[in-house]
């Protein structure tokens, strides 16, 4: 498979690229900063320089030609303000979906966030609240598209602990933590499930079920 990842230099994306390359898939990562290209090559991925805050649908679609699947794992990141939550976490995700449809790539996996479907509680930091709203709006846009076989993945609080290979993956898991290693492993498994998880919004936290079994159960409706 050829898989194109938006936010190709992100912590989860780099882990995913290594997993894809390790199993023989062809990964390409979209990055804004060309100085990051070497890190992608080291991960086994092809760097594609493109600024998703400025690019046209046609330009991005050109980068997606021939892909079997795409993953939106981009984000404005820590230290960015509420405005960039809209332009990246929402706007770039919508642009990427438009481009996938234009390029004829149906399989679209988006990395979202737990809590993106609800109004942030009173007292939530204003920028984090803007982030959750932006993610929720992006998810809603993607889920309304009949031209995409989408899966929305909503991890809990991310950690850099070593992955366990065991998770809880379901429509509702309850809040919890999950390692970035395990998020990447779940993404890799979702991309290889033949579209069984298409049309699902899945929450992800650490758990007791091996990743492959958890993805298979979710895709069969047992998650």
């Amino acid at each position: 498979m050829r898989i194109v990842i938006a936010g190709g230099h992100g912590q989860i994306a780099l882990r995913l690229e290594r997993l894809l390359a390790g199993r023989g898939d062809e990964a390409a990562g979209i990055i804004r900063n060309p100085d990051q290209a070497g890190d992608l090559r080291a991960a086994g991925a092809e760097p594609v320089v493109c600024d998703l805050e400025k690019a046209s649908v046609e330009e991005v679609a050109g980068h997606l030609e021939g892909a079997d699947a795409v993953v939106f794992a981009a984000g404005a990141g820590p230290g960015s303000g509420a405005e960039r939550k809209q332009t990246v976490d929402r706007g770039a995700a919508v642009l990427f979906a438009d481009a996938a449809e234009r390029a004829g790539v149906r399989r679209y996996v988006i990395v979202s966030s737990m809590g993106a479907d609800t109004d942030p509680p009173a007292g939530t930091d204003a920028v984090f609240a803007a982030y959750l709203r932006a993610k929720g709006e992006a998810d809603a846009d993607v889920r309304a598209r009949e031209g995409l076989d989408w899966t929305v993945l909503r991890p809990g609080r991310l950690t850099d602990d070593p992955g366990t290979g065991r998770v809880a993956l379901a429509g509702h898991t309850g809040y919890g933590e999950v390692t970035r290693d395990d998020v990447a492993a779940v993404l890799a498994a979702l991309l290889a499930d033949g579209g069984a998880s298409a049309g699902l919004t899945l929450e992800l936290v650490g758990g007791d079920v091996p990743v492959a079994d958890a993805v298979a159960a979710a895709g069969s409706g047992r998650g």
Side-chain angles (χ1 to χ4, degrees):
M1 294 175 65
R2 176 173 172 81
I3 297 158
V4 182
I5 304 165
H9 194 259
Q11 295 185 67
I12 290 172
L14 287 168
R15 288 168 166 84
L16 175 59
E17 288 154 6
R18 294 186 191 100
L19 292 175
L20 295 175
R23 73 184 188 193
D25 287 330
E26 181 182 345
I30 293 180
I31 53 176
R32 183 176 59 177
N33 182 356
D35 293 341
Q36 298 170 341
D39 292 338
L40 268 72
R41 293 190 185 98
E46 170 196 346
V48 177
V49 179
C50 177
D51 187 343
L52 295 178
E53 287 181 275
K54 298 178 180 177
S56 66
V57 172
E58 292 75 14
E59 179 184 351
V60 179
H63 296 308
L64 304 186
E65 291 290 343
D68 298 291
V70 297
V71 178
F72 186 83
S80 59
E83 181 178 349
R84 291 201 68 224
K85 306 305 183 189
Q86 278 293 314
T87 58
V88 179
D89 293 284
R90 179 190 179 280
V94 171
L95 172 72
F96 205 56
D98 289 339
E101 289 187 323
R102 183 74 58 90
V105 183
R106 290 196 60 92
R107 190 71 172 109
Y108 186 108
V109 179
I110 182 170
V111 182
S112 183
S113 174
M114 197 172 290
D117 255 352
T118 59
D119 285 333
T124 300
D125 173 79
V127 174
F128 186 66
Y131 165 76
L132 290 176
R133 292 190 185 99
K135 297 299 283 187
E137 291 166 6
D139 294 351
D141 180 277
V142 169
R143 291 187 296 188
R145 294 175 185 254
E146 295 182 358
L148 295 178
D149 296 327
W150 52 264
T151 301
V152 177
L153 183 65
R154 291 178 167 167
R157 193 177 75 81
L158 300 171
T159 77
D160 288 324
D161 295 333
T164 67
R166 293 178 176 272
V167 298
L169 179 71
H172 298 285
T173 61
Y175 284 95
E177 296 182 345
V178 63
T179 72
R180 289 179 170 88
D181 285 345
D182 288 333
V183 176
V186 168
L187 287 169
L190 291 171
L191 291 164
D193 75 356
S197 59
L200 298 179
T201 299
L202 299 169
E203 294 183 349
L204 171 65
V205 295
D208 300 322
V209 181
V211 165
D213 294 342
V215 170
S220 67
R222 294 182 287 112

